Amino acid sequence: MNPMRDLLLAGSESRWLREQATRYGFVRRAVSRFMPGESVDEALGAARTLGFGAVLTRLGENVTTTQEAEAVKQHYLDVLDRVAREKLDVEISVKLTQLGLDLSREACEKHLQALIEKARSSNNWVWVDIESTAYTDVTLDIYRAARARFPNTGLCIQAYLYRTEKDLDSLIALGSGVRLVKGAYKEPPDKAFPKKTDVDENYYRLAQRLLSLEARAKGVRAIFGTHDPVLLRRIEQFGRESKLAPKDLEFQLLYGIARPEQQRLSGMGYRFRVLISYGAAWFPWYMRRLAERPANVLFVAKSLFAG
Ligand SMILES: Cc1cc2nc3c(=O)[nH]c(=O)nc-3n(C[C@H](O)[C@H](O)[C@H](O)COP(=O)(O)OP(=O)(O)OC[C@H]3O[C@@H](n4cnc5c(N)ncnc54)[C@H](O)[C@@H]3O)c2cc1C
C-alpha cells in the first residue's frame, strides 16, 4: 500500500490533528474545493446550480450521545421535507454511526426507518453509506431489515473487501439498490485487497455482476461511484456490449472531483448524480479525500499562500 495514503488515513483518526487543522483558514480554503459549504443551505444551493441530480450527506460519524443521533435524524427529516417542498432532485445518504449505532442498534434502526418512510412519502430515496469493517456485518443486517420493509433504499458496498462479492449476491437476491465504490478506510490485508490493481479488477467484476441480466431482472438499482477514468470507460463499454441504453446506467461522483468527467457522463445520457457533503465535521472525511489522491496535499499547501 502507499505509505502516504496510510499516513493520511491514520491522520484522519487523530483528534489532535483535527483540532489543529480545523483552526486554520488555509485548510478551510482547501476543503472548499470538495465542499460548497458547511450549511445545508449551501449544499442545496450548489445542488440547484449543478444541472443534474444530487445526493446530500451531512458529515459526521460515531456520534456519542443519543441526543446527537436524534438531532441527525431530525435534520435529515427536515432536509427531506424541504427537498419535497422545493421539488428538488436530491436524495440523501446517511451513515449508521451518525444515527447512533455505537449507542443503540435499536434506536439507530428506528431512525433509519423513519428517514426511509419519510422519503417514501415523496417518492424519494435513502442511501446507506458503508463505513469501516468494524461495522460491515451490522450495517448489512440493519440495511436488509429496512429493505425488507421499504423499496426506496440502497446500500453502498466496497470493492476493496474480499467479502463484498458474497455480500453483493445477497443484495442482488433482494433486488436492492447498490452503490459500488472502491472503499475509503484503512483496512488490513486479511480483509481488503492490498494492491490497487486488484481492487480495480474486483470493482470491474462486481460492476459486471451489477449489470447482469439476473440483477436487472431483480430490479436492482445499480450505481457506480468512482472517478476512475479507466473503470468508467470499461463499465460504459460493458453496457454497450450488453445492449443497455445509456439511461440503464447510473453514476454518482463526488462534488468537486473530476468535473470534466461529470459533465461528460451527464452529457452522454447516463443517469447521473453528484454527492455533496456538508457540515462542520469535515476533518476525517477530508483526510480520506486527501488519501485517495496524495497530490491533493499540494492544494492544501497552495491554499496557505492564497490569501
Ligand atoms: C458517490 C460516492 C459515494 C461514496 N460512498 C462511500 C461510502 O459509503 N463508503 C466508503 O468507504 N467510500 C465511499 N466513497 C469513496 C470511495 O470509496 C473512494 O474512496 C473514492 O471514490 C475514490 O476512489 P475512486 O473510485 O474515485 O478511484 P481512485 O483510484 O481513488 O481514483 C481514480 C482517479 O479519480 C481521481 N480522484 C479520485 N479521488 C480524488 C480526489 N480525492 N481528488 C482528486 N481526484 C481524485 C483521480 O484522477 C484518480 O486518479 C464514495 C464515493 C463516491 C463517488
Side-chain angles (χ1 to χ4, degrees):
M1 268 302 197
N2 179 334
M4 183 69 155
R5 178 178 188 270
D6 287 352
L7 198 65
L8 289 163
L9 287 179
S12 75
E13 291 165 15
S14 159
R15 194 172 163 170
W16 179 83
L17 203 58
R18 183 183 68 213
E19 280 162 9
Q20 299 304 311
T22 51
R23 283 168 40 197
Y24 292 105
F26 78 91
V27 179
R28 288 170 176 273
R29 276 196 296 282
V31 172
S32 67
R33 196 171 153 239
F34 299 124
M35 192 172 99
E38 290 189 5
S39 73
V40 68
D41 286 336
E42 288 164 302
L44 286 170
R48 279 191 204 91
T49 59
L50 282 173
F52 25 77
V55 180
L56 253 56
T57 191
R58 185 190 189 195
L59 296 169
E61 42 210 296
N62 300 101
V63 300
T64 52
T65 66
T66 51
Q67 289 87 339
E68 277 178 276
E70 183 70 39
V72 170
K73 177 195 72 174
Q74 193 53 51
H75 171 83
Y76 279 124
L77 288 174
D78 294 343
V79 171
L80 287 167
D81 264 338
R82 197 163 156 191
V83 163
R85 217 172 35 244
E86 298 178 22
K87 297 191 171 41
L88 299 172
D89 185 11
V90 171
E91 298 176 345
I92 61 166
S93 196
V94 299
K95 282 190 171 45
L96 295 187
T97 66
Q98 194 185 20
L99 291 175
L101 180 57
D102 292 330
L103 306 162
S104 156
R105 173 177 169 158
E106 203 188 334
C108 171
E109 289 200 78
K110 281 196 180 134
H111 291 335
L112 177 68
Q113 298 202 1
L115 295 179
I116 301 173
E117 217 165 345
K118 165 66 102 182
R120 197 180 186 192
S121 68
S122 55
N123 270 331
N124 207 335
W125 193 276
V126 175
W127 290 98
V128 178
D129 285 357
I130 191 91
E131 303 178 61
S132 71
T133 43
Y135 299 102
T136 313
D137 278 324
V138 65
T139 301
L140 275 150
D141 284 354
I142 292 177
Y143 171 75
R144 285 195 192 100
R147 179 63 185 73
R149 294 185 56 196
F150 307 102
N152 58 315
T153 179
L155 176 67
C156 188
I157 57 169
Q158 296 153 324
Y160 65 12
L161 297 184
Y162 305 122
R163 61 174 287 167
T164 296
E165 193 175 347
K166 267 211 171 114
D167 292 336
L168 178 58
D169 282 344
S170 73
L171 293 170
I172 288 177
L174 286 176
S176 171
V178 178
R179 182 176 73 209
L180 178 62
V181 301
K182 288 192 189 176
Y185 296 81
K186 185 166 162 44
E187 298 294 353
D190 61 317
K191 296 202 166 115
F193 293 99
K195 278 172 57 189
K196 183 175 161 15
T197 46
D198 291 335
V199 177
D200 294 353
E201 258 333 284
N202 198 40
Y203 192 108
Y204 184 59
R205 264 196 307 277
L206 299 171
Q208 287 174 299
R209 276 287 285 139
L210 272 168
L211 292 176
S212 65
L213 266 178
E214 183 198 347
R216 281 183 281 139
K218 287 277 184 189
V220 167
R221 178 176 169 198
I223 309 288
F224 303 104
T226 180
H227 314 89
D228 186 328
V230 175
L231 269 176
L232 287 170
R233 277 158 190 77
R234 288 180 81 186
I235 294 166
E236 291 175 80
Q237 178 63 25
F238 183 75
R240 285 189 290 274
E241 285 163 8
S242 310
K243 305 270 182 285
L244 296 174
K247 65 168 179 41
D248 296 328
L249 268 69
E250 183 164 358
F251 298 93
Q252 289 179 7
L253 271 63
L254 301 179
Y255 178 88
I257 300 185
R259 288 185 188 190
E261 202 67 280
Q262 299 189 7
Q263 293 296 340
R264 186 186 71 78
L265 290 167
S266 69
M268 297 281 291
Y270 299 118
R271 281 185 287 152
F272 181 76
R273 284 176 188 274
V274 165
L275 188 142
I276 302 176
S277 300
Y278 62 98
W282 45 261
F283 178 75
W285 162 86
Y286 182 59
M287 291 297 276
R288 291 198 290 270
R289 298 292 82 77
L290 291 183
E292 281 153 14
R293 195 163 179 251
N296 284 340
V297 174
L298 271 180
F299 282 96
V300 184
K302 280 187 195 152
S303 311
L304 178 56
F305 304 105

